[in-house]
Amino acid sequence: MDQLSYSAAWLSQWRDEITDAVSSMISNFEETYGYEPGTNEVQVADEEALRAARDYGRQLLSQSPYHND
């Protein structure tokens, strides 16, 4: 099975490509929906964000009816 490279360079390129694609898609968002689009960004996570994501995931898993302790 091929493995994708999730290096910082790959992420940066992907983020740029997604930003370009979404920018062209939202050019008429307000005209279509009647309000301005919100801000959505793909950012590289720092240690604090990674810790918060792990804690959130653990919290959700611990509340799952399928979780066994």
Side-chain angles (χ1 to χ4, degrees):
M1 181 162 88
D2 292 336
Q3 287 189 327
L4 296 175
S5 170
Y6 295 113
S7 67
W10 180 88
L11 178 58
S12 180
Q13 180 182 351
W14 177 83
R15 182 180 54 213
D16 292 344
E17 291 172 2
I18 291 297
T19 298
D20 289 345
V22 171
S23 294
S24 66
M25 292 171 26
I26 65 168
S27 63
N28 63 351
F29 186 95
E30 187 172 4
E31 179 182 315
T32 302
Y33 298 104
Y35 58 92
E36 293 181 17
T39 300
N40 293 288
E41 296 177 322
V42 176
Q43 299 178 347
V44 177
D46 60 14
E47 285 301 316
E48 183 179 341
L50 291 171
R51 190 178 315 95
R54 281 191 297 270
D55 291 348
Y56 182 70
R58 286 182 186 124
Q59 178 187 7
L60 289 178
L61 287 174
S62 71
Q63 296 171 357
S64 168
Y66 304 107
H67 178 74
N68 294 320
D69 255 344

Short mmCIF file of all heavy atoms in Angstrom, two decimals:
data_model
loop_
_atom_site.label_atom_id
_atom_site.label_comp_id
_atom_site.label_asym_id
_atom_site.label_seq_id
_atom_site.Cartn_x
_atom_site.Cartn_y
_atom_site.Cartn_z
N MET A 1 0.85 -1.18 0.00
CA MET A 1 0.00 0.00 0.00
C MET A 1 0.89 1.24 0.00
O MET A 1 1.85 1.31 0.75
CB MET A 1 -0.91 -0.02 1.23
CG MET A 1 -1.85 1.16 1.28
SD MET A 1 -3.24 0.93 2.39
CE MET A 1 -2.56 1.50 3.92
N ASP A 2 0.55 2.19 -0.84
CA ASP A 2 1.30 3.43 -0.89
C ASP A 2 1.01 4.27 0.35
O ASP A 2 -0.12 4.33 0.80
CB ASP A 2 0.93 4.24 -2.12
CG ASP A 2 1.39 3.59 -3.40
OD1 ASP A 2 2.34 2.79 -3.34
OD2 ASP A 2 0.81 3.87 -4.46
N GLN A 3 2.04 4.90 0.87
CA GLN A 3 1.86 5.79 1.99
C GLN A 3 2.03 7.22 1.53
O GLN A 3 2.96 7.52 0.77
CB GLN A 3 2.85 5.50 3.10
CG GLN A 3 2.55 4.22 3.84
CD GLN A 3 3.42 4.10 5.07
OE1 GLN A 3 4.56 4.54 5.08
NE2 GLN A 3 2.89 3.49 6.10
N LEU A 4 1.13 8.10 1.95
CA LEU A 4 1.24 9.51 1.62
C LEU A 4 2.27 10.15 2.53
O LEU A 4 2.41 9.78 3.69
CB LEU A 4 -0.11 10.21 1.79
CG LEU A 4 -1.21 9.75 0.86
CD1 LEU A 4 -2.53 10.44 1.22
CD2 LEU A 4 -0.86 10.03 -0.59
N SER A 5 2.96 11.14 2.01
CA SER A 5 3.91 11.88 2.81
C SER A 5 3.19 13.05 3.47
O SER A 5 2.62 13.89 2.78
CB SER A 5 5.03 12.42 1.91
OG SER A 5 5.82 13.33 2.63
N TYR A 6 3.19 13.07 4.77
CA TYR A 6 2.56 14.17 5.51
C TYR A 6 3.62 15.08 6.10
O TYR A 6 3.51 15.52 7.23
CB TYR A 6 1.64 13.62 6.60
CG TYR A 6 0.47 12.86 6.04
CD1 TYR A 6 0.33 11.50 6.22
CD2 TYR A 6 -0.51 13.52 5.29
CE1 TYR A 6 -0.74 10.81 5.71
CE2 TYR A 6 -1.58 12.83 4.77
CZ TYR A 6 -1.70 11.48 4.98
OH TYR A 6 -2.76 10.80 4.46
N SER A 7 4.63 15.36 5.32
CA SER A 7 5.71 16.24 5.77
C SER A 7 5.20 17.68 5.83
O SER A 7 4.14 18.02 5.29
CB SER A 7 6.88 16.16 4.80
OG SER A 7 6.51 16.71 3.55
N ALA A 8 5.96 18.53 6.46
CA ALA A 8 5.60 19.95 6.54
C ALA A 8 5.51 20.55 5.14
O ALA A 8 4.62 21.37 4.87
CB ALA A 8 6.62 20.70 7.39
N ALA A 9 6.39 20.16 4.24
CA ALA A 9 6.36 20.68 2.87
C ALA A 9 5.10 20.23 2.14
O ALA A 9 4.45 21.02 1.45
CB ALA A 9 7.60 20.22 2.10
N TRP A 10 4.73 18.96 2.32
CA TRP A 10 3.51 18.45 1.69
C TRP A 10 2.29 19.19 2.23
O TRP A 10 1.41 19.60 1.48
CB TRP A 10 3.38 16.95 1.96
CG TRP A 10 2.13 16.37 1.35
CD1 TRP A 10 2.01 15.87 0.08
CD2 TRP A 10 0.85 16.26 1.97
NE1 TRP A 10 0.71 15.46 -0.12
CE2 TRP A 10 -0.02 15.68 1.03
CE3 TRP A 10 0.35 16.59 3.22
CZ2 TRP A 10 -1.36 15.43 1.30
CZ3 TRP A 10 -0.98 16.34 3.50
CH2 TRP A 10 -1.83 15.77 2.54
N LEU A 11 2.23 19.35 3.56
CA LEU A 11 1.11 20.05 4.17
C LEU A 11 1.02 21.49 3.67
O LEU A 11 -0.07 21.98 3.36
CB LEU A 11 1.23 20.04 5.69
CG LEU A 11 0.14 20.79 6.46
CD1 LEU A 11 -1.24 20.25 6.15
CD2 LEU A 11 0.43 20.77 7.94
N SER A 12 2.14 22.16 3.56
CA SER A 12 2.16 23.54 3.08
C SER A 12 1.63 23.63 1.64
O SER A 12 0.83 24.49 1.32
CB SER A 12 3.58 24.09 3.16
OG SER A 12 3.60 25.41 2.70
N GLN A 13 2.07 22.71 0.79
CA GLN A 13 1.60 22.69 -0.59
C GLN A 13 0.11 22.40 -0.65
O GLN A 13 -0.65 23.05 -1.37
CB GLN A 13 2.36 21.64 -1.40
CG GLN A 13 1.91 21.57 -2.84
CD GLN A 13 2.64 20.50 -3.63
OE1 GLN A 13 3.61 19.91 -3.16
NE2 GLN A 13 2.18 20.23 -4.84
N TRP A 14 -0.36 21.42 0.13
CA TRP A 14 -1.78 21.07 0.17
C TRP A 14 -2.60 22.26 0.64
O TRP A 14 -3.64 22.57 0.07
CB TRP A 14 -1.98 19.86 1.08
CG TRP A 14 -3.41 19.47 1.24
CD1 TRP A 14 -4.15 18.71 0.40
CD2 TRP A 14 -4.28 19.86 2.32
NE1 TRP A 14 -5.43 18.58 0.89
CE2 TRP A 14 -5.53 19.28 2.06
CE3 TRP A 14 -4.11 20.63 3.47
CZ2 TRP A 14 -6.61 19.44 2.91
CZ3 TRP A 14 -5.19 20.79 4.32
CH2 TRP A 14 -6.43 20.20 4.04
N ARG A 15 -2.14 22.92 1.69
CA ARG A 15 -2.84 24.08 2.23
C ARG A 15 -2.97 25.17 1.18
O ARG A 15 -4.03 25.76 1.01
CB ARG A 15 -2.12 24.60 3.48
CG ARG A 15 -2.79 25.78 4.14
CD ARG A 15 -2.04 26.25 5.36
NE ARG A 15 -0.65 26.51 5.01
CZ ARG A 15 0.37 26.33 5.84
NH1 ARG A 15 0.17 25.89 7.06
NH2 ARG A 15 1.60 26.61 5.46
N ASP A 16 -1.90 25.44 0.43
CA ASP A 16 -1.94 26.45 -0.63
C ASP A 16 -2.93 26.07 -1.73
O ASP A 16 -3.68 26.91 -2.22
CB ASP A 16 -0.55 26.67 -1.22
CG ASP A 16 0.42 27.32 -0.25
OD1 ASP A 16 -0.04 27.89 0.77
OD2 ASP A 16 1.64 27.27 -0.51
N GLU A 17 -2.93 24.80 -2.11
CA GLU A 17 -3.85 24.33 -3.15
C GLU A 17 -5.30 24.43 -2.70
O GLU A 17 -6.16 24.87 -3.47
CB GLU A 17 -3.51 22.89 -3.54
CG GLU A 17 -2.20 22.76 -4.29
CD GLU A 17 -1.78 21.32 -4.50
OE1 GLU A 17 -2.51 20.39 -4.10
OE2 GLU A 17 -0.69 21.12 -5.08
N ILE A 18 -5.57 24.05 -1.46
CA ILE A 18 -6.93 24.13 -0.93
C ILE A 18 -7.37 25.59 -0.83
O ILE A 18 -8.50 25.94 -1.17
CB ILE A 18 -7.03 23.43 0.45
CG1 ILE A 18 -6.86 21.93 0.28
CG2 ILE A 18 -8.33 23.77 1.15
CD1 ILE A 18 -7.92 21.25 -0.56
N THR A 19 -6.49 26.45 -0.36
CA THR A 19 -6.81 27.88 -0.25
C THR A 19 -7.17 28.45 -1.61
O THR A 19 -8.16 29.18 -1.74
CB THR A 19 -5.63 28.65 0.37
OG1 THR A 19 -5.40 28.14 1.69
CG2 THR A 19 -5.92 30.14 0.46
N ASP A 20 -6.40 28.13 -2.64
CA ASP A 20 -6.71 28.61 -3.99
C ASP A 20 -8.05 28.09 -4.47
O ASP A 20 -8.86 28.85 -5.03
CB ASP A 20 -5.61 28.19 -4.97
CG ASP A 20 -4.30 28.93 -4.76
OD1 ASP A 20 -4.30 29.97 -4.05
OD2 ASP A 20 -3.28 28.47 -5.30
N ALA A 21 -8.32 26.81 -4.26
CA ALA A 21 -9.58 26.22 -4.72
C ALA A 21 -10.77 26.83 -4.00
O ALA A 21 -11.77 27.18 -4.63
CB ALA A 21 -9.55 24.70 -4.50
N VAL A 22 -10.67 26.98 -2.70
CA VAL A 22 -11.79 27.53 -1.93
C VAL A 22 -11.99 29.01 -2.25
O VAL A 22 -13.13 29.47 -2.33
CB VAL A 22 -11.57 27.30 -0.42
CG1 VAL A 22 -12.58 28.05 0.41
CG2 VAL A 22 -11.61 25.81 -0.11
N SER A 23 -10.92 29.74 -2.45
CA SER A 23 -11.04 31.16 -2.79
C SER A 23 -11.87 31.36 -4.04
O SER A 23 -12.72 32.25 -4.10
CB SER A 23 -9.66 31.79 -2.97
OG SER A 23 -8.96 31.80 -1.75
N SER A 24 -11.64 30.53 -5.04
CA SER A 24 -12.43 30.67 -6.27
C SER A 24 -13.88 30.25 -6.05
O SER A 24 -14.79 30.80 -6.67
CB SER A 24 -11.79 29.87 -7.41
OG SER A 24 -11.86 28.49 -7.15
N MET A 25 -14.11 29.31 -5.14
CA MET A 25 -15.47 28.84 -4.88
C MET A 25 -16.29 29.85 -4.08
O MET A 25 -17.51 29.90 -4.22
CB MET A 25 -15.43 27.50 -4.14
CG MET A 25 -14.92 26.38 -4.99
SD MET A 25 -14.60 24.80 -4.15
CE MET A 25 -15.66 24.77 -2.75
N ILE A 26 -15.64 30.64 -3.24
CA ILE A 26 -16.41 31.57 -2.39
C ILE A 26 -16.50 32.97 -2.97
O ILE A 26 -17.06 33.86 -2.33
CB ILE A 26 -15.85 31.63 -0.96
CG1 ILE A 26 -14.44 32.21 -0.92
CG2 ILE A 26 -15.92 30.28 -0.29
CD1 ILE A 26 -13.98 32.55 0.47
N SER A 27 -16.02 33.16 -4.20
CA SER A 27 -16.04 34.51 -4.78
C SER A 27 -17.46 35.07 -4.87
O SER A 27 -17.65 36.28 -4.78
CB SER A 27 -15.36 34.51 -6.15
OG SER A 27 -16.07 33.68 -7.04
N ASN A 28 -18.47 34.22 -5.02
CA ASN A 28 -19.85 34.71 -5.08
C ASN A 28 -20.70 34.18 -3.93
O ASN A 28 -21.92 34.11 -4.02
CB ASN A 28 -20.48 34.36 -6.43
CG ASN A 28 -20.58 32.87 -6.65
OD1 ASN A 28 -20.03 32.07 -5.90
ND2 ASN A 28 -21.27 32.50 -7.70
N PHE A 29 -20.06 33.81 -2.84
CA PHE A 29 -20.77 33.25 -1.68
C PHE A 29 -21.83 34.21 -1.15
O PHE A 29 -22.99 33.83 -0.99
CB PHE A 29 -19.76 32.92 -0.57
CG PHE A 29 -20.37 32.21 0.60
CD1 PHE A 29 -20.35 30.84 0.69
CD2 PHE A 29 -20.97 32.92 1.64
CE1 PHE A 29 -20.91 30.17 1.77
CE2 PHE A 29 -21.54 32.27 2.73
CZ PHE A 29 -21.52 30.89 2.79
N GLU A 30 -21.44 35.46 -0.89
CA GLU A 30 -22.39 36.42 -0.31
C GLU A 30 -23.56 36.67 -1.26
O GLU A 30 -24.71 36.76 -0.82
CB GLU A 30 -21.68 37.73 0.03
CG GLU A 30 -22.58 38.71 0.78
CD GLU A 30 -21.84 39.93 1.29
OE1 GLU A 30 -20.63 40.06 1.02
OE2 GLU A 30 -22.47 40.73 1.99
N GLU A 31 -23.27 36.78 -2.53
CA GLU A 31 -24.33 36.99 -3.52
C GLU A 31 -25.31 35.81 -3.53
O GLU A 31 -26.53 35.99 -3.64
CB GLU A 31 -23.70 37.15 -4.91
CG GLU A 31 -24.68 37.35 -6.03
CD GLU A 31 -23.97 37.45 -7.37
OE1 GLU A 31 -22.95 38.17 -7.45
OE2 GLU A 31 -24.42 36.78 -8.32
N THR A 32 -24.79 34.62 -3.37
CA THR A 32 -25.61 33.41 -3.40
C THR A 32 -26.39 33.20 -2.11
O THR A 32 -27.58 32.89 -2.14
CB THR A 32 -24.72 32.17 -3.66
OG1 THR A 32 -24.02 32.36 -4.89
CG2 THR A 32 -25.54 30.90 -3.72
N TYR A 33 -25.71 33.39 -0.95
CA TYR A 33 -26.32 33.03 0.33
C TYR A 33 -26.79 34.21 1.16
O TYR A 33 -27.44 34.04 2.19
CB TYR A 33 -25.35 32.18 1.15
CG TYR A 33 -25.03 30.88 0.44
CD1 TYR A 33 -23.81 30.71 -0.21
CD2 TYR A 33 -25.94 29.84 0.41
CE1 TYR A 33 -23.52 29.53 -0.87
CE2 TYR A 33 -25.66 28.66 -0.26
CZ TYR A 33 -24.45 28.52 -0.90
OH TYR A 33 -24.17 27.36 -1.55
N GLY A 34 -26.42 35.43 0.77
CA GLY A 34 -26.92 36.61 1.46
C GLY A 34 -26.11 37.03 2.68
O GLY A 34 -26.52 37.93 3.40
N TYR A 35 -25.01 36.40 2.94
CA TYR A 35 -24.14 36.80 4.05
C TYR A 35 -22.71 36.44 3.71
O TYR A 35 -22.46 35.59 2.85
CB TYR A 35 -24.57 36.15 5.38
CG TYR A 35 -24.59 34.65 5.36
CD1 TYR A 35 -23.48 33.91 5.75
CD2 TYR A 35 -25.73 33.95 4.96
CE1 TYR A 35 -23.50 32.53 5.74
CE2 TYR A 35 -25.75 32.57 4.94
CZ TYR A 35 -24.64 31.87 5.33
OH TYR A 35 -24.66 30.50 5.32
N GLU A 36 -21.78 37.10 4.39
CA GLU A 36 -20.37 36.85 4.13
C GLU A 36 -19.94 35.49 4.65
O GLU A 36 -20.43 35.04 5.68
CB GLU A 36 -19.51 37.92 4.81
CG GLU A 36 -19.67 39.30 4.25
CD GLU A 36 -18.77 40.31 4.95
OE1 GLU A 36 -17.81 39.90 5.63
OE2 GLU A 36 -19.04 41.51 4.80
N PRO A 37 -19.03 34.84 3.94
CA PRO A 37 -18.52 33.56 4.45
C PRO A 37 -17.65 33.80 5.68
O PRO A 37 -17.05 34.85 5.83
CB PRO A 37 -17.69 33.01 3.30
CG PRO A 37 -17.29 34.21 2.52
CD PRO A 37 -18.42 35.21 2.68
N GLY A 38 -17.62 32.86 6.56
CA GLY A 38 -16.75 32.95 7.73
C GLY A 38 -15.31 32.65 7.34
O GLY A 38 -15.00 32.35 6.19
N THR A 39 -14.44 32.73 8.30
CA THR A 39 -13.03 32.45 8.08
C THR A 39 -12.76 30.99 8.43
O THR A 39 -13.10 30.52 9.51
CB THR A 39 -12.15 33.35 8.97
OG1 THR A 39 -12.43 34.71 8.63
CG2 THR A 39 -10.68 33.07 8.74
N ASN A 40 -12.17 30.29 7.50
CA ASN A 40 -11.74 28.92 7.70
C ASN A 40 -10.29 28.83 7.28
O ASN A 40 -9.93 29.29 6.20
CB ASN A 40 -12.59 27.94 6.88
CG ASN A 40 -14.01 27.90 7.36
OD1 ASN A 40 -14.29 27.36 8.40
ND2 ASN A 40 -14.91 28.49 6.59
N GLU A 41 -9.47 28.25 8.12
CA GLU A 41 -8.05 28.16 7.82
C GLU A 41 -7.53 26.78 8.17
O GLU A 41 -8.00 26.16 9.12
CB GLU A 41 -7.26 29.19 8.63
CG GLU A 41 -7.59 30.61 8.30
CD GLU A 41 -6.83 31.58 9.20
OE1 GLU A 41 -6.66 31.29 10.40
OE2 GLU A 41 -6.40 32.61 8.67
N VAL A 42 -6.57 26.33 7.40
CA VAL A 42 -5.83 25.13 7.74
C VAL A 42 -4.49 25.62 8.27
O VAL A 42 -3.76 26.32 7.58
CB VAL A 42 -5.61 24.23 6.51
CG1 VAL A 42 -4.75 23.04 6.87
CG2 VAL A 42 -6.95 23.80 5.93
N GLN A 43 -4.23 25.29 9.52
CA GLN A 43 -3.00 25.76 10.15
C GLN A 43 -2.20 24.56 10.66
O GLN A 43 -2.76 23.53 11.01
CB GLN A 43 -3.32 26.67 11.34
CG GLN A 43 -4.09 27.90 10.96
CD GLN A 43 -4.42 28.74 12.19
OE1 GLN A 43 -4.30 28.28 13.32
NE2 GLN A 43 -4.85 29.96 11.95
N VAL A 44 -0.91 24.74 10.70
CA VAL A 44 -0.06 23.73 11.30
C VAL A 44 -0.25 23.81 12.82
O VAL A 44 -0.16 24.89 13.41
CB VAL A 44 1.42 23.96 10.93
CG1 VAL A 44 2.32 22.95 11.62
CG2 VAL A 44 1.60 23.90 9.41
N ALA A 45 -0.56 22.68 13.42
CA ALA A 45 -0.84 22.65 14.85
C ALA A 45 0.44 22.79 15.66
O ALA A 45 1.45 22.18 15.35
CB ALA A 45 -1.54 21.35 15.22
N ASP A 46 0.36 23.58 16.72
CA ASP A 46 1.47 23.67 17.66
C ASP A 46 1.23 22.64 18.77
O ASP A 46 0.23 21.92 18.77
CB ASP A 46 1.63 25.09 18.20
CG ASP A 46 0.40 25.60 18.94
OD1 ASP A 46 -0.51 24.80 19.28
OD2 ASP A 46 0.34 26.81 19.19
N GLU A 47 2.14 22.56 19.70
CA GLU A 47 2.03 21.55 20.78
C GLU A 47 0.74 21.71 21.59
O GLU A 47 0.12 20.73 21.96
CB GLU A 47 3.25 21.61 21.70
CG GLU A 47 4.49 21.01 21.08
CD GLU A 47 4.30 19.54 20.71
OE1 GLU A 47 3.73 18.77 21.50
OE2 GLU A 47 4.73 19.17 19.61
N GLU A 48 0.35 22.94 21.86
CA GLU A 48 -0.87 23.17 22.64
C GLU A 48 -2.10 22.67 21.89
O GLU A 48 -2.98 22.04 22.47
CB GLU A 48 -1.01 24.66 22.95
CG GLU A 48 -2.20 24.98 23.82
CD GLU A 48 -2.32 26.46 24.16
OE1 GLU A 48 -1.31 27.19 24.04
OE2 GLU A 48 -3.42 26.88 24.53
N ALA A 49 -2.17 22.93 20.58
CA ALA A 49 -3.31 22.47 19.78
C ALA A 49 -3.34 20.95 19.70
O ALA A 49 -4.41 20.33 19.78
CB ALA A 49 -3.25 23.09 18.39
N LEU A 50 -2.17 20.33 19.54
CA LEU A 50 -2.11 18.87 19.50
C LEU A 50 -2.56 18.26 20.82
O LEU A 50 -3.30 17.28 20.84
CB LEU A 50 -0.68 18.41 19.18
CG LEU A 50 -0.20 18.70 17.75
CD1 LEU A 50 1.29 18.40 17.64
CD2 LEU A 50 -1.00 17.91 16.74
N ARG A 51 -2.14 18.85 21.92
CA ARG A 51 -2.55 18.36 23.24
C ARG A 51 -4.06 18.50 23.41
O ARG A 51 -4.73 17.57 23.89
CB ARG A 51 -1.81 19.13 24.34
CG ARG A 51 -1.98 18.54 25.72
CD ARG A 51 -1.21 19.27 26.81
NE ARG A 51 0.15 19.66 26.53
CZ ARG A 51 0.61 20.85 26.06
NH1 ARG A 51 -0.12 21.77 25.80
NH2 ARG A 51 1.85 21.13 25.84
N ALA A 52 -4.61 19.63 23.00
CA ALA A 52 -6.06 19.84 23.12
C ALA A 52 -6.83 18.83 22.26
O ALA A 52 -7.85 18.30 22.70
CB ALA A 52 -6.40 21.27 22.71
N ALA A 53 -6.34 18.55 21.06
CA ALA A 53 -7.01 17.58 20.19
C ALA A 53 -6.97 16.18 20.79
O ALA A 53 -7.96 15.45 20.78
CB ALA A 53 -6.36 17.58 18.81
N ARG A 54 -5.81 15.79 21.35
CA ARG A 54 -5.70 14.48 21.99
C ARG A 54 -6.65 14.38 23.19
O ARG A 54 -7.34 13.38 23.36
CB ARG A 54 -4.26 14.22 22.43
CG ARG A 54 -3.35 13.78 21.30
CD ARG A 54 -2.01 13.29 21.84
NE ARG A 54 -1.25 14.32 22.54
CZ ARG A 54 -0.39 15.14 21.96
NH1 ARG A 54 -0.15 15.06 20.67
NH2 ARG A 54 0.26 16.04 22.67
N ASP A 55 -6.67 15.42 24.01
CA ASP A 55 -7.54 15.42 25.19
C ASP A 55 -9.01 15.33 24.78
O ASP A 55 -9.79 14.59 25.39
CB ASP A 55 -7.32 16.67 26.04
CG ASP A 55 -5.96 16.69 26.72
OD1 ASP A 55 -5.27 15.64 26.74
OD2 ASP A 55 -5.58 17.77 27.23
N TYR A 56 -9.38 16.06 23.75
CA TYR A 56 -10.76 16.04 23.26
C TYR A 56 -11.11 14.65 22.74
O TYR A 56 -12.18 14.11 23.05
CB TYR A 56 -10.95 17.10 22.18
CG TYR A 56 -12.35 17.18 21.65
CD1 TYR A 56 -13.39 17.67 22.43
CD2 TYR A 56 -12.64 16.76 20.35
CE1 TYR A 56 -14.67 17.74 21.94
CE2 TYR A 56 -13.93 16.84 19.85
CZ TYR A 56 -14.94 17.33 20.65
OH TYR A 56 -16.22 17.39 20.16
N GLY A 57 -10.21 14.06 21.98
CA GLY A 57 -10.45 12.72 21.45
C GLY A 57 -10.60 11.70 22.56
O GLY A 57 -11.48 10.84 22.52
N ARG A 58 -9.74 11.79 23.57
CA ARG A 58 -9.83 10.86 24.71
C ARG A 58 -11.16 11.04 25.45
O ARG A 58 -11.77 10.07 25.88
CB ARG A 58 -8.67 11.10 25.65
CG ARG A 58 -7.36 10.57 25.13
CD ARG A 58 -6.22 10.78 26.12
NE ARG A 58 -4.96 10.39 25.53
CZ ARG A 58 -3.91 11.18 25.44
NH1 ARG A 58 -3.94 12.41 25.93
NH2 ARG A 58 -2.80 10.75 24.87
N GLN A 59 -11.58 12.29 25.59
CA GLN A 59 -12.86 12.56 26.26
C GLN A 59 -14.01 11.94 25.49
O GLN A 59 -14.88 11.28 26.07
CB GLN A 59 -13.07 14.06 26.41
CG GLN A 59 -14.39 14.43 27.05
CD GLN A 59 -14.65 15.92 27.04
OE1 GLN A 59 -13.92 16.68 26.43
NE2 GLN A 59 -15.71 16.33 27.69
N LEU A 60 -14.02 12.12 24.18
CA LEU A 60 -15.09 11.54 23.36
C LEU A 60 -15.08 10.02 23.43
O LEU A 60 -16.13 9.39 23.55
CB LEU A 60 -14.96 11.99 21.90
CG LEU A 60 -15.28 13.45 21.62
CD1 LEU A 60 -15.06 13.76 20.14
CD2 LEU A 60 -16.71 13.79 22.01
N LEU A 61 -13.90 9.44 23.34
CA LEU A 61 -13.80 7.98 23.39
C LEU A 61 -14.26 7.44 24.74
O LEU A 61 -14.89 6.39 24.82
CB LEU A 61 -12.36 7.54 23.12
CG LEU A 61 -11.91 7.67 21.67
CD1 LEU A 61 -10.44 7.35 21.55
CD2 LEU A 61 -12.72 6.75 20.76
N SER A 62 -13.92 8.15 25.81
CA SER A 62 -14.32 7.67 27.14
C SER A 62 -15.84 7.72 27.34
O SER A 62 -16.37 6.99 28.16
CB SER A 62 -13.62 8.48 28.23
OG SER A 62 -14.14 9.80 28.30
N GLN A 63 -16.52 8.53 26.55
CA GLN A 63 -17.97 8.64 26.65
C GLN A 63 -18.69 7.70 25.70
O GLN A 63 -19.91 7.57 25.74
CB GLN A 63 -18.41 10.09 26.36
CG GLN A 63 -17.91 11.07 27.36
CD GLN A 63 -18.15 12.52 26.96
OE1 GLN A 63 -18.66 12.79 25.88
NE2 GLN A 63 -17.78 13.43 27.82
N SER A 64 -17.95 7.02 24.86
CA SER A 64 -18.53 6.12 23.88
C SER A 64 -19.10 4.88 24.56
O SER A 64 -18.47 4.32 25.48
CB SER A 64 -17.46 5.69 22.87
OG SER A 64 -17.92 4.63 22.08
N PRO A 65 -20.25 4.42 24.11
CA PRO A 65 -20.80 3.19 24.70
C PRO A 65 -19.95 1.96 24.35
O PRO A 65 -20.11 0.91 24.95
CB PRO A 65 -22.20 3.07 24.08
CG PRO A 65 -22.15 3.91 22.84
CD PRO A 65 -21.13 4.99 23.10
N TYR A 66 -19.04 2.10 23.40
CA TYR A 66 -18.20 0.98 22.98
C TYR A 66 -16.85 0.98 23.69
O TYR A 66 -16.05 0.10 23.48
CB TYR A 66 -17.98 1.03 21.46
CG TYR A 66 -19.28 1.05 20.71
CD1 TYR A 66 -19.73 2.20 20.10
CD2 TYR A 66 -20.07 -0.09 20.64
CE1 TYR A 66 -20.93 2.23 19.43
CE2 TYR A 66 -21.27 -0.07 19.96
CZ TYR A 66 -21.70 1.09 19.36
OH TYR A 66 -22.90 1.11 18.69
N HIS A 67 -16.60 1.99 24.52
CA HIS A 67 -15.34 2.10 25.23
C HIS A 67 -15.31 1.14 26.40
O HIS A 67 -16.22 1.07 27.21
CB HIS A 67 -15.15 3.55 25.74
CG HIS A 67 -13.90 3.75 26.53
ND1 HIS A 67 -12.67 3.81 25.94
CD2 HIS A 67 -13.70 3.90 27.86
CE1 HIS A 67 -11.77 4.00 26.87
NE2 HIS A 67 -12.36 4.06 28.04
N ASN A 68 -14.24 0.37 26.49
CA ASN A 68 -14.06 -0.57 27.60
C ASN A 68 -12.85 -0.16 28.41
O ASN A 68 -11.76 -0.05 27.89
CB ASN A 68 -13.85 -2.00 27.08
CG ASN A 68 -15.08 -2.53 26.39
OD1 ASN A 68 -16.18 -2.29 26.85
ND2 ASN A 68 -14.89 -3.23 25.29
N ASP A 69 -13.03 0.06 29.66
CA ASP A 69 -11.91 0.36 30.58
C ASP A 69 -11.49 -0.88 31.30
O ASP A 69 -12.16 -1.73 31.65
CB ASP A 69 -12.30 1.43 31.59
CG ASP A 69 -11.68 2.78 31.27
OD1 ASP A 69 -10.73 2.83 30.47
OD2 ASP A 69 -12.18 3.75 31.84
#
